[in-house]
Amino acid sequence: MAMPLRQSIKVATYLAEQKLRRREKFPLIVELEPLFACNLACEGCGKIQHPAGVLKQRMPVAQAVGAVLESGAPMVSIAGGEPLMHPQIDEIARQLVARRKYVFLCTNAMLLRKKMDRFTPSPYFAFAVHIDGLRERHDESVAQEGVFDEAVAAIKEAKRRGFRVTTNSTFFNTDTPQTVIEVLDYLNDDLKVDEMMISPAYAYEKAPDQEHFLGVEQTRELFRKAFAGGNRRRWRLNHSPLFLDFLEGRVDFPCTAWAIPNYSIFGWQRPCYLMSDGYVPTYRELIEETDWDKYGRGKDPRCANCMAHCGYEPTAVLATTGSLKESLRALRDTISGPSGNPGNRE
């Protein structure tokens, strides 16, 4: 895993504090959605299906920052919609960074070069650019030509200016091990992004395209073959080793969606950002009044094919911290980096 050592230490300290307090449920990272509007219409996303009145709403800065502080999470993923369309997105990020929260601003990068001057490089801040394949595959997934080239140009410019840049890639049943290898090789070796996150596509109920989501066995076969030949160890993947084991089918986990809660203009969403069973105004209500035991594969039919990081990465992280062997394994990867090379120790 390519998480910087400073961030790894903060997360490990946070987890130890939760254990000392005997808290059973707590957030690792908050999915913050300060708007639903977007400048693209991706086939696998249902956010822009909201009514026009909802798409015009923008979350106030104080509300966004307050929600993160209420939860106590050490990390924040700012998503949407397209966050760079929010007129005060730089102020939201600035205030969270000032409070030493690790902030990942998720973006399709169409506005990134225009808005980059509004942000300042920091060990606590990263642009997380969505890349679902090389040029043809990515542009097809976002239903617009030229998006891949603009994203690549923005990544290069952000790296030139000293920003941390990560990527987020979602894979569908139209992908093959080779297409996975090609895009991750390009991001890792050619663009040299700091970290890469991957996830099998989940059958989001409002997504326009309902035919190309992966099933569990398809997911396991896809990643087992893509990870073969040392690729998994070589790539700078921003995941715990146990989550990668999970994608390959070496281990199985229950869902812990409560560890990556979603907060949007509607409030805290039950149970996760991929499913909507209502909203509550406070984080405490989300945790204490949601029947978490009824969700997950084998419990809720909507969860049958889900292997998304938002539900299972936290489980893998908790399993890692609960095992000395797995903790040492994760620490080795953090310090040594891929293929035994020195990792990012900032």
Side-chain angles (χ1 to χ4, degrees):
M1 139 174 104
M3 182 185 291
L5 185 58
R6 178 188 299 175
Q7 183 178 345
S8 298
I9 292 172
K10 180 165 184 174
V11 172
T13 301
Y14 170 80
L15 291 173
E17 290 174 353
Q18 308 316 304
K19 187 173 183 179
L20 286 173
R21 295 178 182 178
R22 298 186 178 181
R23 293 180 66 187
E24 294 184 359
K25 293 181 175 62
F26 48 85
L28 285 175
I29 183 169
V30 169
E31 292 275 358
L32 178 67
E33 294 179 323
L35 79 172
F36 291 134
C38 190
N39 50 1
L40 292 177
C42 301
E43 293 294 324
C45 177
K47 297 296 183 180
I48 63 170
Q49 306 305 314
H50 287 289
V54 173
L55 295 179
K56 292 179 181 178
Q57 295 184 44
R58 304 291 185 264
M59 186 182 295
V61 174
Q63 181 181 346
V65 175
V68 175
L69 297 181
E70 176 195 5
S71 75
M75 299 180 288
V76 187
S77 174
I78 305 178
E82 171 51 53
L84 291 177
M85 292 176 65
H86 193 296
Q88 295 175 292
I89 193 61
D90 54 324
E91 182 62 17
I92 293 175
R94 188 193 68 77
Q95 290 198 23
L96 291 171
V97 167
R99 291 165 172 80
R100 299 189 176 234
K101 302 293 183 182
Y102 282 93
V103 177
F104 298 85
L105 195 153
C106 303
T107 176
N108 57 40
M110 292 296 287
L111 297 173
L112 183 51
R113 286 197 289 175
K114 296 178 182 179
K115 302 286 183 79
M116 204 176 296
D117 286 339
R118 296 167 58 180
F119 299 88
T120 303
S122 166
Y124 290 93
F125 179 80
F127 290 115
V129 180
H130 196 87
I131 299 287
D132 278 350
L134 296 182
R135 181 179 291 107
E136 182 178 352
R137 293 188 69 81
H138 182 70
D139 286 357
E140 181 181 3
S141 74
V142 301
Q144 185 172 316
E145 292 185 2
V147 176
F148 177 82
D149 289 339
E150 178 58 32
V152 168
I155 288 172
K156 290 180 178 179
E157 179 62 13
K159 291 285 291 178
R160 186 188 71 79
R161 296 194 192 190
F163 286 98
R164 286 183 62 208
V165 180
T166 70
T167 55
N168 180 11
S169 300
T170 305
F171 297 105
F172 296 80
N173 65 13
T174 51
D175 278 292
T176 66
Q178 187 57 36
T179 63
V180 175
I181 291 169
E182 288 172 354
V183 68
L184 295 183
D185 273 351
Y186 180 73
L187 297 172
N188 191 85
D189 301 336
D190 296 335
L191 288 185
K192 294 180 170 57
V193 300
D194 293 280
E195 303 164 1
M196 301 178 293
M197 188 170 72
I198 58 178
S199 185
Y202 169 77
Y204 188 73
E205 63 181 0
K206 291 184 178 180
D209 181 359
Q210 290 288 322
E211 298 179 2
H212 297 119
F213 294 105
L214 287 161
V216 171
E217 292 307 319
Q218 287 177 301
T219 296
R220 290 169 175 167
E221 181 178 7
L222 177 68
F223 288 109
R224 190 181 301 122
K225 292 180 178 178
F227 288 162
N231 286 330
R232 169 178 159 172
R233 178 68 177 146
R234 184 172 60 82
W235 291 327
R236 290 183 296 278
L237 296 173
N238 185 23
H239 294 289
S240 63
L242 278 178
F243 179 72
L244 300 178
D245 288 349
F246 170 75
L247 290 181
E248 289 191 67
R250 297 185 184 186
V251 297
D252 202 8
F253 292 123
C255 174
T256 49
W258 47 262
I260 305 186
N262 173 273
Y263 185 78
S264 71
I265 56 178
F266 295 143
W268 295 98
Q269 181 173 322
R270 289 173 169 156
C272 65
Y273 84 96
L274 294 170
M275 290 169 53
S276 181
D277 283 356
Y279 299 84
V280 293
T282 68
Y283 175 74
R284 182 174 179 176
E285 288 175 85
L286 174 74
I287 294 301
E288 296 182 358
E289 298 180 15
T290 302
D291 185 1
W292 298 102
D293 291 335
K294 72 178 185 180
Y295 296 106
R297 282 188 281 118
K299 298 178 180 179
D300 188 316
R302 296 172 296 175
C303 304
N305 289 314
C306 181
M307 295 182 71
H309 63 90
C310 64
Y312 295 97
E313 177 78 79
T315 324
V317 170
L318 295 173
T320 297
T321 58
S323 164
L324 177 59
K325 176 182 177 181
E326 293 299 335
S327 295
L328 292 174
R329 179 188 181 196
L331 180 62
R332 179 198 64 202
D333 287 355
T334 299
I335 294 176
S336 66
S339 301
N341 295 323
N344 183 349
R345 304 187 186 200
E346 292 300 320

